[in-house]
Amino acid sequence: MGAQDDFALWERELEPPRPPGSDGSGRGMVLVAALTAAGCTALITLGQVPLGAAGLVLSSLVLLLWRAGM
């Protein structure tokens, strides 16, 4: 019959289109992670170890879910 499957075409159809100019580098995510880590480190340095550690754990979970697209 000559019909051939094109899986690459199917994958492209399933991916959502990216807005023009976005290269998907994740600079915003890196900036948010750096600022959050700096804030939590400052809390730990000022003696608020439980609060700083909780902030690091929660921010890590949020960034992980953000990266996963949830």
Side-chain angles (χ1 to χ4, degrees):
M1 297 269 171
Q4 187 175 6
D5 290 334
D6 188 2
F7 291 107
L9 176 65
W10 292 353
E11 288 177 353
R12 283 192 302 270
E13 289 177 355
L14 293 175
E15 290 178 0
R18 290 189 177 173
S22 77
D23 57 355
S25 64
R27 289 184 192 144
M29 188 184 325
V30 171
L31 178 65
V32 169
L35 291 174
T36 304
C40 292
T41 304
L43 282 172
I44 292 171
T45 304
L46 293 173
Q48 298 294 326
V49 176
L51 185 60
L56 285 173
V57 169
L58 289 176
S59 65
S60 297
L61 288 173
V62 168
L63 287 172
L64 179 69
L65 291 174
W66 181 18
R67 179 67 179 148
M70 295 182 160

